Amino acid sequence: MSNKKVYKIAAIPGDGIGVDITEAAVQALDKLAETNGTFSFEYTTFDWSSKAYLERGWYMPPDWATQLRKHDAIYFGAVGWPSVPDHISLWQMILPIRQQMNQYVNVRPTRILRGTRAPVSQLQEKPSDLDWIIVRENSEGEYAGQGGTTHGHGPNAIATELAIFTRVGIERIMRFAFETAKSRPRKKLTMVTKSNAQRHGMVLWDTVFNDVAKEYEGVVEHDKMLVDAMTVRMVNKPETMDTIVATNLHADILSDLAAALAGSIGIAPSSNLDPTRENPSMFEPIHGSAPDIAGQGIANPVGAFWSAAEMVRWLGKGELDGVADQFMEAIENVMGDPKTRTRDMGGSASTTEVTKAVCDEIGRVCGRK
């Protein structure tokens, strides 16, 4: 027992179905730790929800960054509620966390899990044609927060939203993307741009990509796509891509398309990483708070489980990859059974039923009841 590694997790359930899927992820993580026996998790839950915001006027306290840095990782459910404007919830919680925790990389893996029916016939016949890693620049670009509004309450209102691109920011995301591509079997990287129309920031984006690419000649195959053409290629020729790197906004949009192509946004994970490991990284499903189904017990927890598996992989620094793989095997085994699929996957199972099935399957896959 004395040699068991304890990982400290900051849990932020947030809003809507974020509460249900965070609870589901915690149950699965605890079952995984119990079954494996070499590590455990210790959670601190933070009520930084929209409900709390409406009651007290703030999402996070002034010392929120100090509190989060006491943990090894952050597990995040979802934020957003109809009674709070989206830009307030985004800019008073999720974006400050990403920025101040130096989480400049957002990784969104996409593939068609067992039991999932893709909406495109090609992928129904050959699911392996879609197996991507989308690397999203997570600190600047269109979400840098630069801009302003003049005469906002009058008929002559003017608003500016500035996309910020720096050589440092671009170079570090490109290097991460090339290294990710290098680590995968196909060793192929597609860069997404819009430099034909955006002639400053996106031209710098292209220039730095080409500079970094020289270091990987003969090692990583690479190409370039305009973002609008990229949407077509993702649908019509998914097998031609492997690792994808894009700006904050472009990757945010394209990864939702990727999730839809893979069968459901409810299964899609994401990792907000500080590659320096000086700050805790944050793991979250991409589906949002889904107010329309909140409180009904029907949310798909698979994206939460997959995000938790990525958290295990990150925390282990290579030593828990096998455990994360077992976690994913258990998830896919459960998805393969029509009786344990949620409504968005064509089934009728509840969040609780899927969670129990995954926990039971973790025990079976890991060889211990």
Side-chain angles (χ1 to χ4, degrees):
M1 293 293 293
S2 60
N3 294 327
K4 182 182 290 189
K5 173 66 176 178
V6 178
Y7 295 106
K8 296 181 178 181
I9 308 300
I12 309 174
D15 299 322
I17 65 171
V19 177
D20 294 341
I21 59 95
T22 299
E23 180 181 347
V26 167
Q27 290 180 35
L29 285 166
D30 284 345
K31 181 64 176 180
L32 188 72
E34 174 192 342
T35 305
N36 180 271
T38 64
F39 62 91
S40 64
F41 297 102
E42 179 182 294
Y43 307 94
T44 304
T45 300
F46 297 94
D47 182 12
W48 296 345
S49 63
S50 293
K51 179 181 178 181
Y53 167 81
L54 290 171
E55 292 172 352
R56 66 196 179 200
W58 49 269
Y59 275 98
M60 302 188 296
D63 66 340
W64 65 266
T66 299
Q67 292 189 46
L68 291 182
R69 288 192 176 103
K70 296 176 182 178
H71 300 82
D72 298 304
I74 304 164
Y75 189 89
F76 182 76
V79 65
W81 201 248
S83 53
V84 180
D86 288 340
H87 69 278
I88 292 178
S89 57
L90 198 68
W91 277 102
Q92 292 196 23
M93 184 162 59
I94 190 69
L95 289 182
I97 292 175
R98 289 176 180 172
Q99 292 178 351
Q100 293 198 38
M101 295 295 107
N102 195 38
Q103 295 166 357
Y104 66 84
V105 176
N106 182 279
V107 177
R108 298 189 173 186
T110 304
R111 60 185 176 88
I112 300 176
L113 301 183
R114 194 180 317 132
T116 305
R117 181 174 175 81
V120 178
S121 59
Q122 173 188 343
L123 296 175
Q124 294 172 11
E125 297 168 3
K126 193 177 180 183
S128 59
D129 279 354
L130 197 165
D131 186 358
W132 305 330
I133 297 287
I134 298 179
V135 177
R136 171 186 175 185
E137 201 293 313
N138 210 34
S139 67
E140 49 183 44
E142 303 84 355
Y143 295 178
Q146 300 296 307
T149 302
T150 303
H151 309 302
H153 300 290
N156 298 314
I158 301 171
T160 59
E161 200 76 50
L162 303 181
I164 304 299
F165 296 93
T166 67
R167 175 170 284 274
V168 169
I170 300 170
E171 182 174 346
R172 65 186 184 182
I173 198 65
M174 294 304 180
R175 200 171 300 282
F176 185 95
F178 270 103
E179 286 295 321
T180 299
K182 180 181 175 182
S183 70
R184 288 170 60 82
R186 293 183 65 186
K187 304 186 186 307
K188 180 178 176 63
L189 177 63
T190 298
M191 181 269 282
V192 179
T193 185
K194 193 58 181 172
S195 53
N196 61 333
Q198 295 175 290
R199 56 183 179 161
H200 301 297
M202 292 266 69
V203 169
L204 180 61
W205 174 269
D206 291 4
T207 300
V208 177
F209 172 81
N210 291 328
D211 289 345
V212 175
K214 295 174 184 177
E215 302 175 25
Y216 294 87
E217 289 296 338
V219 178
V220 174
E221 178 187 355
H222 56 84
D223 62 358
K224 179 179 80 170
M225 289 293 295
L226 296 177
V227 64
D228 39 354
M230 184 65 168
T231 61
V232 178
R233 182 176 172 187
M234 288 171 70
V235 175
N236 291 343
K237 296 183 178 180
E239 76 282 359
T240 66
M241 294 173 294
D242 185 80
T243 305
I244 300 163
V245 62
T247 70
N248 217 333
L249 177 62
H250 292 166
D252 193 8
I253 296 168
L254 293 176
S255 58
D256 277 17
L257 172 58
L261 290 170
S264 172
I265 198 170
I267 66 175
S270 74
S271 306
N272 301 276
L273 305 178
D274 173 10
T276 70
R277 295 183 180 268
E278 294 177 2
N279 300 280
S281 292
M282 179 167 63
F283 303 83
E284 57 174 321
I286 73 171
H287 52 56
S289 59
D292 56 324
I293 62 170
Q296 299 180 36
I298 61 174
N300 188 341
V302 170
F305 295 148
W306 193 348
S307 299
E310 294 303 308
M311 183 175 75
V312 170
R313 199 181 301 278
W314 178 258
L315 289 171
K317 302 178 183 178
E319 295 182 2
L320 295 180
D321 286 359
V323 178
D325 290 341
Q326 289 179 326
F327 194 173
M328 289 303 302
E329 181 182 349
I331 295 167
E332 290 199 69
N333 288 349
V334 169
M335 291 183 66
D337 185 349
K339 296 191 298 295
T340 48
R341 295 177 193 161
T342 48
R343 294 184 188 181
D344 60 306
M345 305 294 293
S348 60
S350 67
T351 308
T352 300
E353 290 168 338
V354 176
T355 301
K356 183 181 184 305
V358 168
C359 289
D360 291 345
E361 189 64 13
I362 287 172
R364 191 195 69 79
V365 168
C366 294
R368 188 184 302 173
K369 299 295 184 182

